[in-house]
C-alpha cells in the first residue's frame, strides 16, 4: 500500500453540521413522517444537489413553486431560511483537521457539494476553512460529486496523485465513485470512527 500523501475532506456532514430539519421539523409540528414526505417528494435531495452543481437557487425555487403551488410557502423556506439549516462545526473532526494542519505531513484540501451562492456564508462562519491548501466547491465548477469530472479536477488542480490520496466523505455514494478512480476512501460516520479508520492507513494522530 502506497503511503498517503494527501487528505481530501468533504465539508457538510464531516466538518460542518447542515440539516434542513432545523427549519422544517418545527414547521411540521415535529411530525417527522410529514417532513420526510416533503423531502422525498417536493424539495428532494436531487433537486438541492442541482443547485450544488451551480444552478440558480432563485430559478430552482420558482420552478418548484410552479410544479407544486400547494407547497409554495414550504418551498420558499428552503433557500429563504437556508442559513438556519447551517449548524455548528463538528468539533471532533475539526480537531483532527487541526492535527493534520499542525503536523504538515500531508497536503490537506477539501471537496464539497455546495452552492456557490451560499458557500460564502460558511467561509465567514467557519475560520478553519482557511486551513486548507484549497477547496473545490461544486457550485463554482458546475459539476458535483459523484461525477468523475470533479474528482479529476481536484486531483489535477492540487497536483495530487490519486493512489496516494485519501478521501473522507459521509456519503457512501461519493466514496465509491472516488474509489473507482483509484482514490482511497473513508466513509465517515463520526470523529472517533475516523481516527480508527485512519490508523488502517498508518496515519496516527
Amino acid at each position: 500500500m502506497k503511503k498517503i500523501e494527501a487528505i481530501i475532506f468533504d465539508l457538510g456532514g464531516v466538518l460542518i453540521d447542515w440539516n434542513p430539519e432545523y427549519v422544517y421539523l418545527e414547521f411540521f409540528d415535529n411530525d417527522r413522517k410529514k417532513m420526510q414526505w416533503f423531502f422525498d417528494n417536493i424539495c428532494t435531495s436531487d433537486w438541492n444537489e442541482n443547485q450544488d452543481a451551480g444552478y440558480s437557487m432563485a430559478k430552482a425555487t420558482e420552478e418548484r413553486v410552479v410544479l407544486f403551488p400547494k407547497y409554495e410557502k414550504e418551498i420558499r423556506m428552503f433557500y429563504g431560511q437556508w442559513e438556519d439549516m447551517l449548524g455548528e462545526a463538528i468539533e471532533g473532526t475539526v480537531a483532527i483537521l487541526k492535527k493534520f494542519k499542525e503536523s504538515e505531513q500531508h497536503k490537506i484540501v477539501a471537496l464539497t457539494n455546495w452552492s456557490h451562492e451560499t458557500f460564502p456564508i460558511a467561509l465567514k462562519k467557519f475560520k478553519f476553512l482557511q486551513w486548507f491548501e484549497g477547496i473545490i466547491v461544486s457550485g463554482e465548477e458546475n459539476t458535483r460529486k459523484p461525477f468523475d469530472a470533479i474528482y479529476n479536477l481536484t486531483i489535477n488542480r492540487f497536483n495530487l496523485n490519486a493512489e496516494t490520496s485519501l478521501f473522507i466523505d459521509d456519503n457512501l455514494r461519493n466514496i465509491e465513485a472516488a474509489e473507482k478512480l483509484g482514490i482511497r476512501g473513508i466513509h465517515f460516520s463520526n470523529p472517533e470512527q475516523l481516527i480508527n479508520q485512519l490508523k488502517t492507513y498508518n496515519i496516527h494522530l
Side-chain angles (χ1 to χ4, degrees):
M1 184 185 293
K2 291 187 177 181
K3 182 181 177 182
I4 297 297
E5 297 175 348
I7 309 295
I8 306 169
F9 278 89
D10 175 36
L11 297 180
V14 174
L15 283 156
I16 297 170
D17 178 24
W18 179 85
N19 195 328
E21 78 169 41
Y22 294 151
V23 167
Y24 284 96
L25 189 58
E26 183 179 356
F27 179 85
F28 285 110
D29 297 320
N30 293 308
D31 188 329
R32 289 187 175 275
K33 189 174 180 179
K34 284 184 179 179
M35 179 183 72
Q36 194 57 51
W37 183 92
F38 177 76
F39 293 148
D40 290 342
N41 295 278
I42 310 297
C43 287
T44 65
S45 177
D46 286 346
W47 173 75
N48 181 50
E49 283 194 325
N50 195 45
Q51 285 65 265
D52 286 347
Y55 196 72
S56 162
M57 295 192 306
K59 285 183 180 180
T61 298
E62 297 309 318
E63 290 166 358
R64 191 100 323 198
V65 167
V66 169
L67 280 176
F68 305 103
K70 181 181 174 182
Y71 295 94
E72 178 174 2
K73 182 177 181 180
E74 293 92 326
I75 292 166
R76 294 194 185 282
M77 284 169 58
F78 199 93
Y79 293 121
Q81 297 184 43
W82 182 90
E83 197 164 348
D84 294 328
M85 301 177 190
L86 193 60
E88 299 303 319
I90 300 172
E91 294 297 346
T93 322
V94 174
I96 293 169
L97 174 64
K98 186 177 182 182
K99 288 182 180 180
F100 275 117
K101 178 69 174 174
E102 292 174 344
S103 72
E104 298 183 342
Q105 298 299 306
H106 302 83
K107 181 177 284 192
I108 53 170
V109 301
L111 168 57
T112 184
N113 278 1
W114 205 304
S115 168
H116 66 286
E117 296 180 71
T118 56
F119 192 66
I121 298 170
L123 277 176
K124 186 176 179 180
K125 182 172 182 177
F126 301 107
K127 301 305 180 187
F128 63 81
L129 294 177
Q130 308 300 325
W131 299 350
F132 291 105
E133 293 190 34
I135 300 175
I136 297 288
V137 178
S138 62
E140 295 175 357
E141 310 299 340
N142 296 314
T143 185
R144 62 171 175 82
K145 298 174 286 185
F147 300 122
D148 289 358
I150 202 162
Y151 298 100
N152 291 328
L153 178 67
T154 304
I155 293 298
N156 293 331
R157 182 169 297 175
F158 301 126
N159 194 28
L160 308 180
N161 181 332
E163 293 183 351
T164 59
S165 297
L166 179 62
F167 178 47
I168 301 162
D169 196 297
D170 65 318
N171 190 322
L172 183 58
R173 174 201 68 179
N174 296 339
I175 292 293
E176 291 173 343
E179 289 177 337
K180 287 179 182 178
L181 297 174
I183 303 167
R184 283 174 278 181
I186 291 177
H187 182 208
F188 177 88
S189 60
N190 59 67
E192 294 74 25
Q193 167 259 356
L194 176 56
I195 289 172
N196 288 328
Q197 288 286 98
L198 287 169
K199 291 175 183 176
T200 67
Y201 293 97
N202 201 30
I203 298 172
H204 301 273
L205 298 175

